[in-house]
Amino acid sequence: MHDHLAEAIKDPDPIRVGDHLICLRFETMKVYSALGAVRHLLETGAVRPGDTLIDSSSGIYAHALALACHRYGMRCHIVGSTTVDRTLKIQLEILGATVEQVPSSNNLQLDQNLRVRRIGEILRDNPSYHWMQQYHDDIHYLGYGAVADLVAELVPAGPLCLVGGVGTGASTGAIAEYLRDRGRDVNLVGVQPFGSITFGAGHTQDPEMIIAGIGSSIEFRNVRHELYDRLHWVSFDYAMSAAVDLLRTSGVFAGLSAGAAYLSALWEHNCDSSRKHVFLAADTGTRYVESAFARHADARPMESMRPREIDSLDQLAVPWSAMSWDRRESAWTRREEFPSATPSH
């Protein structure tokens, strides 16, 4: 018996996809991150019950943080993108969170900059608020040790390949790091959209919509580039096509980042079948029904899609590029200035 919904929904459903892949299908993956971070802040006295926690989100983290705040008796304020749809917004409000959204934009840089700028304004007016900084604070790694335990139980021996969206870094990176610390041979494959600066694709652009949550036009300081072995940059069109195939062939209804991870994991398995391949489906496909799944008739056949293998970021090209990163540190992300988080006490 669970004491709170957050505890009940955080665990993923492991699903075998085809003969070779394991999908970790989450209802909302970042509940692990938010619960671990809020619990740590309370235990260390950085915040107290009743304090207000604030952050920016394209949707998944907003729900997770609202649940964590509800679980631990905190107040929550979300500065969201327009991908926070009506269904999610109403849930957040009923959970007690206050929500504001930046003006609509299909430009990743403008959207993220507006949200971070707005947080800076709110912190100046409300110095007691605690900025969670999901983009920057390593505290968000803490909750993913439990996911690493689950992966270790699912695949108890042998080399692994973990595939998923990079986002803030505190999911794929955290899980792989926990597993490696325990002696596992893990290849980590990160998935990015075109236009994201995190691994140097800021000079590219996807002609379609943004894949929310897995890329960045501003520096995410908690991404540890040296954890990643391979990178895939996947367009909306290819991610949508793969997400449709994932639903059609396995019944897994998941978001665009899951489609991109599924596509990338299939390719990685073709390149190295000696490893067990696990990919992350961070959320359900609900918020992508109109923008993606309604276009299922336009989905490309899986066999028609293959990446352009590159050895230089100058060679990046839509719709799908892949590159060996070889765990090196980043030398390409540009620096941004951010408003400082103001301590709660």
Side-chain angles (χ1 to χ4, degrees), residues 109-278:
Q109 181 174 2
L110 179 60
D111 176 77
Q112 290 177 332
N113 279 334
L114 285 173
R115 283 189 271 144
V116 172
R117 188 178 304 128
R118 177 59 185 145
I119 285 177
E121 295 170 353
I122 294 169
L123 290 171
R124 284 192 291 271
D125 294 338
N126 300 273
S128 66
Y129 286 11
H130 183 92
W131 184 16
M132 292 299 293
Q133 297 195 87
Q134 67 149 326
Y135 301 148
H136 311 311
D137 197 335
D138 287 349
I139 195 174
H140 292 93
Y141 277 63
L142 297 176
Y144 286 108
V147 183
D149 291 339
L150 176 60
V151 173
E153 291 174 10
L154 288 171
V155 188
L160 277 169
C161 179
L162 179 68
V163 184
V166 176
T168 64
S171 56
T172 48
I175 297 167
E177 189 167 41
Y178 277 114
L179 287 166
R180 287 172 181 167
D181 286 347
R182 297 165 193 175
R184 288 301 295 270
D185 175 5
V186 180
N187 267 7
L188 178 57
V189 179
V191 179
Q192 286 269 276
F194 289 95
S196 173
I197 73 163
T198 305
F199 286 89
H203 62 289
T204 63
Q205 187 174 359
D206 190 334
E208 287 276 4
M209 67 171 283
I210 299 165
I211 302 176
I214 64 169
S216 176
S217 68
I218 60 177
E219 181 192 20
F220 285 1
R221 293 198 287 265
N222 66 7
V223 174
R224 299 175 187 170
H225 299 78
E226 67 277 9
L227 295 177
Y228 292 84
D229 296 281
R230 295 264 293 165
L231 269 297
H232 286 248
W233 293 265
V234 180
S235 69
F236 167 88
D237 182 34
Y238 276 33
M240 179 271 287
S241 298
V244 168
D245 186 83
L246 182 62
L247 176 57
R248 181 179 291 130
T249 59
S250 70
V252 175
F253 181 47
L256 288 174
S257 66
Y262 168 51
L263 183 66
S264 303
L266 281 171
W267 181 257
E268 291 299 320
H269 178 267
N270 288 337
C271 295
D272 182 4
S273 60
S274 68
R275 293 178 179 272
K276 294 289 186 182
H277 287 71
V278 178

Side-chain angles (χ1 to χ4, degrees), residues 92-109:
L92 296 176
E93 291 171 347
I94 294 173
L95 285 168
T98 51
V99 185
E100 59 178 284
Q101 292 173 277
V102 299
S104 178
S105 172
N106 196 39
N107 180 287
L108 183 64
Q109 181 174 2

